[in-house]
Amino acid sequence: MKKIFLVVLLLQAIRLNAQHPFNVIREEMKIPMRDGVKLGAIVYMPEQEGKFPALIYRTPYGATDYDSYAEFPLKAAKQGYMVFLVDVRGRYMSEGEFEAYRSEKKDGYDLIEWVGTSTHCNGKVATYGGSYPGIVQWLALSQSPPHLVAAAPEMTPIGSHHFMFYGGAFSHPWLDWFIPYILADKRKRASDPSGTWNADVADAEWAASDRRKWYGYRPLQDIPMLKRYAPEFYEWLKHPDESEWWDFLNVEHDFAKMKAPVFLESGWYDAAYGPDGATRGFNKMRTEGGSQDAKKNTTLILGPWNHTSLNTRKTKFGEIQFGESAGMDYDAELLRWFDKILKGDINKSTLPAVSIFVMGANKWRAENEWPLSRAVPTSFYLHSSGKVTVDKTDGMLNQILPTEEKKDSYVFDPANPMWDVSYEKSYPYDQRDIENRKDVLVYTSAPLDQEIEVTGEIAAELFVSSSAKDTDFSITLCDVYPDGKSINLSGLDAGYLRMRYRNGYEKQELMNPGEVYKIRIGKLYTSNLFKKEHRIRLYVTSSKAPHYDPNPNTGTEIATERNLVPATNTIYHEKKFTSKLILPVIPKTKE
């Protein structure tokens, strides 16, 4: 009997030693939160003895759905990681009630600590994911979970108010989020047969519907389809000012608590909050992070991508071919970075502090900082003879200070807003149809006699007035090719300001009709090489639908306003009012 037992032990040892390092185990489990609610998870891990670092992906879109197509979990498990794919509270496999973002700070902390102390984890936990799976990482970081040693929030904001009210205007694409992605599972949980329970079907139905009428629905607070299953939408509308009410989704003041380094990534055509969140998050981690590790090992990547579009083969976006270098193997880069931070393999990841893709040159460049200290803020002044609305060649951009010039006025009708055809996934495309509108002012430089690189935050200082007590202004920067096509250099939702928030988002200040105000519109980020014979173009208008609710121009509470009133809006460019575009120009290096 003793001999048989020894043989069994020997066979077990042989089997363990013979396990192939690529073999992976997949399990499903429930993970308890502090209040007893259990989150459903899919777990991958190497089929071998030992303890492993763990990676967590939290999603409201269905861990099972992500598991059906994502390659990263298997790649990571084969490389020696445990990978937890977790449905957030109230979604799919998880218990509880879902209210967007409300529970993610506490649940993030509890989940990370449960995983970090679980049987097969070596105590080191990291997180990854983009968009909603990205912002939940910032929220967890703000709670300082002891076992969290790295995070990779991709294409996501760090704040709350400008997520819902970018530039002070309400973000309409929340309709495009709740209706196709959130409501189907809510109906299923409620056994509600009034609509589909399948998210893919809901997405197709919404895409085929007359969405434009819902984007134009007034008043905003009475939009009917979200009343039952997304009451938070209406709560957001009730809080248009930046305030403590938004703290459930804000981490801007919490960076001293964040001890884990972060791997940040966004794209020039990402949603406006993406590059803003990535660049500001990078700087806050490097200057305010709660450990030297966080300050030293945080890294930033900015490429020619739109929201969640990044993949190895993606080299063309919209109408522009950016070349083979534009694609990036994100999975490989992220795993190498995780190996460096979680496994101590300092030679695995060789990424610089900052990687930027310079469009036009179509090349990657390593940097040590953001913004680039060598960038020179360069003013290009607006000029015209006052005919820009009817003659699109009348508006000029140059470095000459204006003297006495006629102002440019246009009528902004919120019932007929500027419309961005790329609103679902922003991309570069010819803007001439937009620029030919009478409510769009276009200012263009002469053909360049030498190339100019612009990398950083784009801003415009404008002197404006309106016939209304409140209205909007927006800017777009374009690269005009020799054949005339005018290509936007960021997503069109960037560069926006609601005038009642011109002095800050904490309180509303209406205008005096006809009074001239100096405003600054910024938070538009890009990197582009304007080639010789190309031209630099700025266009100014007062709407970017359906990204934002068009301002009704009444000066009343926007969420409850039913009426839309046209406004005459004016841009001034003269000796007293020197409206200008400010570009971060990178000096040419000597050959």
Side-chain angles (χ1 to χ4, degrees), residues 218 414 466-472 498-502 508-513 550-561 563-567:
R218 296 286 178 164
S466 177
S467 63
K469 293 181 179 180
D470 185 39
T471 194
D472 296 349
R498 180 146 289 173
M499 284 296 288
R500 66 177 67 192
Y501 293 109
R502 65 192 178 278
Q508 303 177 29
E509 299 180 45
L510 298 179
M511 299 184 293
N512 296 317
N551 197 316
N553 297 325
T554 57
T556 55
E557 182 182 359
I558 289 177
T560 61
E561 181 59 76
N563 300 313
L564 303 177
V565 178

Side-chain angles (χ1 to χ4, degrees), residues 133 178 273 310 354 359 365-366 372 404 410 454:
F178 277 110
Y273 57 73
L310 172 60
V354 178
M359 300 184 292
R365 192 169 67 221
L372 308 186
E404 298 305 319
Y410 59 93
V454 171

Side-chain angles (χ1 to χ4, degrees), residues 156-186:
T156 193
I158 61 170
S160 51
H161 182 261
H162 68 277
F163 192 20
M164 280 70 174
F165 289 89
Y166 200 88
F170 186 68
S171 180
H172 256 154
W174 287 109
L175 291 176
D176 297 295
W177 186 71
F178 277 110
I179 293 171
Y181 301 127
I182 302 302
L183 266 57
D185 186 58
K186 289 259 193 173

Side-chain angles (χ1 to χ4, degrees), residues 145 191 232 234 246 303 395 429-430 467 502 514 517 523:
S191 299
E232 60 265 49
Y234 305 94
W246 291 100
Y429 69 98
D430 194 341
S467 63
R502 65 192 178 278
Y517 297 92
K523 293 189 176 182

